[in-house]
Amino acid sequence: MASALSCRVASFCSIKTSLSAPGRRRPTKPFRSYFCHCTGSKMPSPAHSLSWDDALRVSLQEYSQDNPSNLSGFFERVKLCNRGSELQSEFLPFFVGSDIAGYIHYRFANHLRDFPDVFIFSQDDSHGSGSGGHVSLCPSLRTPDDRTKAVASVVEYLAEALIPGIRKELYPVKSSFDSPILFSLERAAAPYFGIKVYGVHMNGYVERNGEEFLWIGKRSHEKSTFPGMLDHLVAGGLPHDIACGENIIKECEEEAGIPRTISHRAIPVGAVSYMDIDGVRFKRDVLFCYDLKLPQDFTPNNQDGEVESFKLIPVPQVVNIIRRTNFFKPNCSLVIIDFLFRHGYIKPEYDGYLDLLRSLKSGDCS
């Protein structure tokens, strides 16, 4: 039985007018295969669908005789979210005025050279990144609205060949969370411009007879990213013009059918961050973490079609799934590991405790 499951684990493991002018190079589709855009992860699409039976079997203590104090499995989950740091020199800083808004891979940046009315290239490397210059927005784009429209036209033009999965959802572009919005960018384009993206992730848990359980979701197979994998009860990106607290309430209703009368009790408990380079994509994410203690008789009910089903699983068994497998969407593992620290499942007596704790903020958490 374990052998068969091992095989399954392995398989899992204004401007617009000028853009159409003659002489403007439209990227060809073969370039698309050069970009790793399917999942943002090195794990291939599963040859066999992950089932709840798989996850629950792996979660059992008798499935493996690993030492509970061994944190190596958790370090592997963190590592999976923080790939490619040695490749940062391949990215050009992306400036808006004097602010660094993101980082753009030089190969992707070459396609932006076709739009000199939007993007300007400089060989100035006074910022000391060692990348041999930088990209900036044209100074004539003076307002956030002007910049949003200009960059949106470029993204629309490049989308078919270079930026798959357009969602028509805007993310705010900022140098840090408390900084003014420089402009807004299509969500699917965020990693190609290396902007800092913020999200809200919530662990929903239940207490029964002194034992804690986590509600775990299984993502729909129709999801464009990480289909069929395990997830938190609630999570979502932080789009333009909505506060974190209001966003978590909205996501609670959409993803789990949690009414506002319950979701307003969600407690903000901190943040985790990571930086992941995958080809020409640079994800710089900060995830605001929430805990929500749910009534014992509550059962989540997905409303937006993004979750296939839910299971209520004892926390020690969730610990084993994360430690032993890549069944969870990678960044969800970070948020659950953070929960394990705060709820006492990872103890200071375990070797590597502080190193693992620090690693949960491997990205620029600002």
Side-chain angles (χ1 to χ4, degrees):
M1 181 179 295
S3 177
L5 181 58
S6 296
C7 293
R8 299 184 76 167
V9 173
S11 72
F12 227 83
C13 304
S14 57
I15 291 175
K16 190 170 182 180
T17 301
S18 70
L19 299 184
S20 301
R24 189 77 76 178
R25 292 185 296 114
R26 182 177 287 278
T28 57
K29 284 191 177 181
F31 183 75
R32 187 171 180 173
S33 65
Y34 184 82
F35 283 41
C36 181
H37 55 258
C38 51
T39 64
S41 162
K42 288 185 177 179
M43 288 179 289
S45 297
H48 304 283
S49 297
L50 168 68
S51 72
W52 282 116
D53 284 344
D54 292 333
L56 294 175
R57 194 177 302 121
V58 169
S59 76
L60 297 177
Q61 190 61 38
E62 56 266 30
Y63 180 82
S64 173
Q65 299 306 310
D66 48 356
N67 185 339
S69 68
N70 184 346
L71 303 181
S72 60
F74 299 129
F75 278 108
E76 286 299 314
R77 304 295 85 76
V78 175
K79 183 179 178 181
L80 185 59
C81 288
N82 290 280
R83 301 167 300 167
S85 60
E86 71 279 6
L87 302 175
Q88 289 189 45
S89 62
E90 297 182 4
F91 289 77
L92 304 174
F94 172 37
F95 279 85
V96 178
S98 59
D99 294 313
I100 295 182
Y103 295 88
I104 304 175
H105 195 276
Y106 72 89
R107 279 192 291 267
F108 185 79
N110 284 339
H111 292 269
L112 303 181
R113 293 180 185 273
D114 291 338
F115 310 99
D117 42 2
V118 182
F119 298 99
I120 295 174
F121 287 76
S122 172
Q123 293 303 312
D124 176 24
D125 194 24
S126 57
H127 45 76
S129 71
S131 54
H134 66 265
V135 186
S136 59
L137 285 183
C138 183
S140 64
L141 303 170
R142 293 186 175 88
T143 69
D145 189 53
D146 289 341
R147 298 165 190 152
T148 297
K149 292 176 181 176
V151 176
S153 295
V154 175
V155 169
E156 181 181 355
Y157 187 85
L158 298 177
E160 183 180 359
L162 303 183
I163 307 173
I166 297 297
R167 305 189 186 194
K168 303 294 185 183
E169 181 180 344
L170 294 177
Y171 276 176
V173 179
K174 305 176 177 183
S175 58
S176 65
F177 187 68
D178 293 323
S179 299
I181 296 176
L182 302 171
F183 68 99
S184 296
L185 179 68
E186 157 65 37
R187 176 177 179 175
Y192 297 95
F193 288 84
I195 70 166
K196 191 174 292 185
V197 170
Y198 301 90
V200 292
H201 282 230
M202 191 190 82
N203 286 303
Y205 70 101
V206 172
E207 289 185 356
R208 291 179 178 172
N209 300 320
E211 185 177 7
E212 290 184 329
F213 298 74
L214 278 168
W215 276 109
I216 302 299
K218 189 171 181 296
R219 294 165 68 84
S220 166
H221 285 277
E222 303 305 313
K223 289 284 289 180
S224 60
T225 56
F226 306 100
M229 295 184 72
L230 303 185
D231 207 336
H232 305 299
L233 180 58
V234 170
L238 187 64
H240 179 73
D241 203 26
I242 185 170
C244 290
E246 190 59 35
N247 196 36
I248 201 70
I249 289 173
K250 176 180 75 69
E251 295 289 349
C252 276
E253 175 62 33
E254 292 176 356
E255 296 198 348
I258 304 173
R260 183 180 286 264
T261 53
I262 295 177
S263 61
H264 81 278
R265 304 173 195 159
I267 300 172
V269 291
V272 299
S273 62
Y274 60 95
M275 295 194 301
D276 180 68
I277 293 176
D278 184 9
V280 298
R281 295 158 45 97
F282 194 171
K283 287 178 63 64
R284 301 194 302 136
D285 291 1
V286 177
L287 309 179
F288 293 101
C289 303
Y290 287 76
D291 282 355
L292 177 60
K293 184 177 179 181
L294 289 159
Q296 293 186 19
D297 60 353
F298 175 81
T299 300
N301 180 25
N302 180 244
Q303 305 294 306
D304 60 8
E306 295 189 357
V307 181
E308 178 186 286
S309 56
F310 296 98
K311 284 282 186 184
L312 187 63
I313 303 177
V315 173
Q317 290 182 235
V318 176
V319 169
N320 288 336
I321 296 172
I322 291 180
R323 176 190 288 129
R324 296 168 179 171
T325 77
N326 285 334
F327 287 174
F328 274 91
K329 178 173 176 280
N331 62 3
C332 295
S333 293
L334 300 188
V335 180
I336 295 176
I337 292 171
D338 176 75
F339 178 94
L340 301 179
F341 271 106
R342 292 182 291 97
H343 287 249
Y345 295 94
I346 299 176
K347 306 178 187 300
E349 291 79 10
Y350 297 171
D351 287 345
Y353 178 90
L354 291 178
D355 289 337
L356 181 61
L357 184 63
R358 282 192 296 268
S359 74
L360 297 180
K361 291 184 174 63
S362 295
D364 179 6
C365 200
S366 66

